[in-house]
PDB file of all heavy atoms in Angstrom:
ATOM      1  N   THR Q1616      13.171 -55.989  35.621  1.00  0.00           N
ATOM      2  CA  THR Q1616      12.359 -57.132  36.046  1.00  0.00           C
ATOM      3  C   THR Q1616      11.068 -56.682  36.717  1.00  0.00           C
ATOM      4  O   THR Q1616      10.020 -57.314  36.556  1.00  0.00           O
ATOM      5  CB  THR Q1616      13.159 -58.042  37.001  1.00  0.00           C
ATOM      6  OG1 THR Q1616      14.405 -58.381  36.393  1.00  0.00           O
ATOM      7  CG2 THR Q1616      12.391 -59.319  37.296  1.00  0.00           C
ATOM      8  N   VAL Q1617      11.125 -55.593  37.477  1.00  0.00           N
ATOM      9  CA  VAL Q1617       9.909 -55.055  38.087  1.00  0.00           C
ATOM     10  C   VAL Q1617       8.889 -54.685  37.008  1.00  0.00           C
ATOM     11  O   VAL Q1617       7.686 -54.909  37.156  1.00  0.00           O
ATOM     12  CB  VAL Q1617      10.241 -53.831  38.972  1.00  0.00           C
ATOM     13  CG1 VAL Q1617       8.969 -53.094  39.381  1.00  0.00           C
ATOM     14  CG2 VAL Q1617      11.007 -54.264  40.214  1.00  0.00           C
ATOM     15  N   VAL Q1618       9.378 -54.142  35.896  1.00  0.00           N
ATOM     16  CA  VAL Q1618       8.487 -53.743  34.798  1.00  0.00           C
ATOM     17  C   VAL Q1618       7.988 -54.952  34.019  1.00  0.00           C
ATOM     18  O   VAL Q1618       6.789 -55.111  33.793  1.00  0.00           O
ATOM     19  CB  VAL Q1618       9.203 -52.758  33.850  1.00  0.00           C
ATOM     20  CG1 VAL Q1618       8.361 -52.495  32.604  1.00  0.00           C
ATOM     21  CG2 VAL Q1618       9.489 -51.446  34.570  1.00  0.00           C
ATOM     22  N   THR Q1619       8.904 -55.815  33.593  1.00  0.00           N
ATOM     23  CA  THR Q1619       8.537 -56.890  32.664  1.00  0.00           C
ATOM     24  C   THR Q1619       7.904 -58.094  33.353  1.00  0.00           C
ATOM     25  O   THR Q1619       7.001 -58.725  32.798  1.00  0.00           O
ATOM     26  CB  THR Q1619       9.765 -57.357  31.866  1.00  0.00           C
ATOM     27  OG1 THR Q1619      10.780 -57.821  32.777  1.00  0.00           O
ATOM     28  CG2 THR Q1619      10.328 -56.208  31.026  1.00  0.00           C
ATOM     29  N   VAL Q1620       8.366 -58.423  34.571  1.00  0.00           N
ATOM     30  CA  VAL Q1620       7.829 -59.570  35.301  1.00  0.00           C
ATOM     31  C   VAL Q1620       6.776 -59.132  36.315  1.00  0.00           C
ATOM     32  O   VAL Q1620       5.673 -59.678  36.358  1.00  0.00           O
ATOM     33  CB  VAL Q1620       8.953 -60.352  36.004  1.00  0.00           C
ATOM     34  CG1 VAL Q1620       8.368 -61.485  36.840  1.00  0.00           C
ATOM     35  CG2 VAL Q1620       9.939 -60.910  34.987  1.00  0.00           C
ATOM     36  N   GLY Q1621       7.137 -58.137  37.128  1.00  0.00           N
ATOM     37  CA  GLY Q1621       6.193 -57.651  38.125  1.00  0.00           C
ATOM     38  C   GLY Q1621       5.024 -56.896  37.534  1.00  0.00           C
ATOM     39  O   GLY Q1621       4.000 -56.719  38.182  1.00  0.00           O
ATOM     40  N   GLN Q1622       5.184 -56.438  36.282  1.00  0.00           N
ATOM     41  CA  GLN Q1622       4.143 -55.694  35.578  1.00  0.00           C
ATOM     42  C   GLN Q1622       3.724 -54.439  36.345  1.00  0.00           C
ATOM     43  O   GLN Q1622       2.562 -54.053  36.362  1.00  0.00           O
ATOM     44  CB  GLN Q1622       2.928 -56.587  35.297  1.00  0.00           C
ATOM     45  CG  GLN Q1622       3.246 -57.792  34.433  1.00  0.00           C
ATOM     46  CD  GLN Q1622       2.058 -58.711  34.237  1.00  0.00           C
ATOM     47  OE1 GLN Q1622       0.917 -58.275  34.212  1.00  0.00           O
ATOM     48  NE2 GLN Q1622       2.319 -60.005  34.102  1.00  0.00           N
ATOM     49  N   GLU Q1623       4.705 -53.818  36.991  1.00  0.00           N
ATOM     50  CA  GLU Q1623       4.462 -52.597  37.746  1.00  0.00           C
ATOM     51  C   GLU Q1623       4.765 -51.378  36.866  1.00  0.00           C
ATOM     52  O   GLU Q1623       5.775 -51.338  36.170  1.00  0.00           O
ATOM     53  CB  GLU Q1623       5.328 -52.568  39.007  1.00  0.00           C
ATOM     54  CG  GLU Q1623       5.098 -51.379  39.910  1.00  0.00           C
ATOM     55  CD  GLU Q1623       3.816 -51.471  40.719  1.00  0.00           C
ATOM     56  OE1 GLU Q1623       2.900 -52.239  40.335  1.00  0.00           O
ATOM     57  OE2 GLU Q1623       3.726 -50.770  41.741  1.00  0.00           O
ATOM     58  N   ASP Q1624       3.887 -50.393  36.888  1.00  0.00           N
ATOM     59  CA  ASP Q1624       4.062 -49.166  36.122  1.00  0.00           C
ATOM     60  C   ASP Q1624       4.933 -48.212  36.933  1.00  0.00           C
ATOM     61  O   ASP Q1624       4.527 -47.739  37.992  1.00  0.00           O
ATOM     62  CB  ASP Q1624       2.695 -48.541  35.831  1.00  0.00           C
ATOM     63  CG  ASP Q1624       2.791 -47.302  34.952  1.00  0.00           C
ATOM     64  OD1 ASP Q1624       3.915 -46.939  34.543  1.00  0.00           O
ATOM     65  OD2 ASP Q1624       1.743 -46.678  34.682  1.00  0.00           O
ATOM     66  N   LEU Q1625       6.125 -47.918  36.446  1.00  0.00           N
ATOM     67  CA  LEU Q1625       7.057 -47.064  37.169  1.00  0.00           C
ATOM     68  C   LEU Q1625       6.963 -45.599  36.768  1.00  0.00           C
ATOM     69  O   LEU Q1625       7.719 -44.765  37.289  1.00  0.00           O
ATOM     70  CB  LEU Q1625       8.496 -47.564  36.969  1.00  0.00           C
ATOM     71  CG  LEU Q1625       8.801 -48.999  37.404  1.00  0.00           C
ATOM     72  CD1 LEU Q1625      10.299 -49.282  37.287  1.00  0.00           C
ATOM     73  CD2 LEU Q1625       8.335 -49.255  38.827  1.00  0.00           C
ATOM     74  N   ILE Q1626       6.082 -45.268  35.864  1.00  0.00           N
ATOM     75  CA  ILE Q1626       5.928 -43.886  35.418  1.00  0.00           C
ATOM     76  C   ILE Q1626       4.974 -43.161  36.360  1.00  0.00           C
ATOM     77  O   ILE Q1626       3.839 -43.590  36.560  1.00  0.00           O
ATOM     78  CB  ILE Q1626       5.388 -43.808  33.977  1.00  0.00           C
ATOM     79  CG1 ILE Q1626       6.270 -44.626  33.029  1.00  0.00           C
ATOM     80  CG2 ILE Q1626       5.304 -42.350  33.514  1.00  0.00           C
ATOM     81  CD1 ILE Q1626       7.710 -44.175  32.980  1.00  0.00           C
ATOM     82  N   GLY Q1627       5.439 -42.063  36.949  1.00  0.00           N
ATOM     83  CA  GLY Q1627       4.590 -41.297  37.857  1.00  0.00           C
ATOM     84  C   GLY Q1627       5.333 -40.921  39.123  1.00  0.00           C
ATOM     85  O   GLY Q1627       6.484 -41.319  39.355  1.00  0.00           O
ATOM     86  N   ALA Q1628       4.660 -40.161  39.972  1.00  0.00           N
ATOM     87  CA  ALA Q1628       5.297 -39.611  41.170  1.00  0.00           C
ATOM     88  C   ALA Q1628       5.770 -40.686  42.132  1.00  0.00           C
ATOM     89  O   ALA Q1628       6.784 -40.524  42.814  1.00  0.00           O
ATOM     90  CB  ALA Q1628       4.320 -38.667  41.867  1.00  0.00           C
ATOM     91  N   LYS Q1629       5.042 -41.799  42.221  1.00  0.00           N
ATOM     92  CA  LYS Q1629       5.369 -42.834  43.205  1.00  0.00           C
ATOM     93  C   LYS Q1629       6.792 -43.344  43.041  1.00  0.00           C
ATOM     94  O   LYS Q1629       7.508 -43.546  44.032  1.00  0.00           O
ATOM     95  CB  LYS Q1629       4.374 -43.987  43.090  1.00  0.00           C
ATOM     96  CG  LYS Q1629       4.609 -45.116  44.076  1.00  0.00           C
ATOM     97  CD  LYS Q1629       3.557 -46.213  43.926  1.00  0.00           C
ATOM     98  CE  LYS Q1629       3.808 -47.357  44.913  1.00  0.00           C
ATOM     99  NZ  LYS Q1629       2.782 -48.440  44.767  1.00  0.00           N
ATOM    100  N   TYR Q1630       7.224 -43.561  41.806  1.00  0.00           N
ATOM    101  CA  TYR Q1630       8.544 -44.137  41.558  1.00  0.00           C
ATOM    102  C   TYR Q1630       9.528 -43.131  40.963  1.00  0.00           C
ATOM    103  O   TYR Q1630      10.591 -43.527  40.472  1.00  0.00           O
ATOM    104  CB  TYR Q1630       8.417 -45.329  40.611  1.00  0.00           C
ATOM    105  CG  TYR Q1630       7.756 -46.538  41.226  1.00  0.00           C
ATOM    106  CD1 TYR Q1630       6.417 -46.837  40.959  1.00  0.00           C
ATOM    107  CD2 TYR Q1630       8.453 -47.379  42.081  1.00  0.00           C
ATOM    108  CE1 TYR Q1630       5.806 -47.954  41.516  1.00  0.00           C
ATOM    109  CE2 TYR Q1630       7.847 -48.492  42.644  1.00  0.00           C
ATOM    110  CZ  TYR Q1630       6.525 -48.773  42.370  1.00  0.00           C
ATOM    111  OH  TYR Q1630       5.930 -49.867  42.926  1.00  0.00           O
ATOM    112  N   ALA Q1631       9.193 -41.853  41.023  1.00  0.00           N
ATOM    113  CA  ALA Q1631      10.029 -40.841  40.355  1.00  0.00           C
ATOM    114  C   ALA Q1631      11.478 -40.881  40.833  1.00  0.00           C
ATOM    115  O   ALA Q1631      12.419 -40.769  40.030  1.00  0.00           O
ATOM    116  CB  ALA Q1631       9.428 -39.455  40.573  1.00  0.00           C
ATOM    117  N   LYS Q1632      11.689 -41.058  42.136  1.00  0.00           N
ATOM    118  CA  LYS Q1632      13.063 -41.020  42.649  1.00  0.00           C
ATOM    119  C   LYS Q1632      13.878 -42.241  42.230  1.00  0.00           C
ATOM    120  O   LYS Q1632      15.111 -42.214  42.291  1.00  0.00           O
ATOM    121  CB  LYS Q1632      13.065 -40.874  44.163  1.00  0.00           C
ATOM    122  CG  LYS Q1632      12.533 -42.078  44.934  1.00  0.00           C
ATOM    123  CD  LYS Q1632      12.712 -41.880  46.441  1.00  0.00           C
ATOM    124  CE  LYS Q1632      12.272 -43.113  47.220  1.00  0.00           C
ATOM    125  NZ  LYS Q1632      12.568 -42.997  48.665  1.00  0.00           N
ATOM    126  N   CYS Q1633      13.203 -43.312  41.810  1.00  0.00           N
ATOM    127  CA  CYS Q1633      13.918 -44.507  41.351  1.00  0.00           C
ATOM    128  C   CYS Q1633      14.538 -44.314  39.973  1.00  0.00           C
ATOM    129  O   CYS Q1633      15.482 -45.022  39.614  1.00  0.00           O
ATOM    130  CB  CYS Q1633      12.974 -45.701  41.308  1.00  0.00           C
ATOM    131  SG  CYS Q1633      12.298 -46.179  42.912  1.00  0.00           S
ATOM    132  N   LEU Q1634      13.971 -43.393  39.210  1.00  0.00           N
ATOM    133  CA  LEU Q1634      14.416 -43.198  37.831  1.00  0.00           C
ATOM    134  C   LEU Q1634      15.413 -42.049  37.759  1.00  0.00           C
ATOM    135  O   LEU Q1634      15.132 -40.963  37.246  1.00  0.00           O
ATOM    136  CB  LEU Q1634      13.207 -42.954  36.927  1.00  0.00           C
ATOM    137  CG  LEU Q1634      12.152 -44.074  36.946  1.00  0.00           C
ATOM    138  CD1 LEU Q1634      10.999 -43.745  36.007  1.00  0.00           C
ATOM    139  CD2 LEU Q1634      12.772 -45.416  36.590  1.00  0.00           C
TER     140      LEU Q1634
END
Side-chain angles (χ1 to χ4, degrees):
T1616 308
V1617 168
V1618 172
T1619 59
V1620 176
Q1622 300 176 31
E1623 183 76 340
D1624 184 1
L1625 302 186
I1626 306 300
K1629 181 179 179 180
Y1630 290 101
K1632 68 174 184 174
C1633 297
L1634 302 181

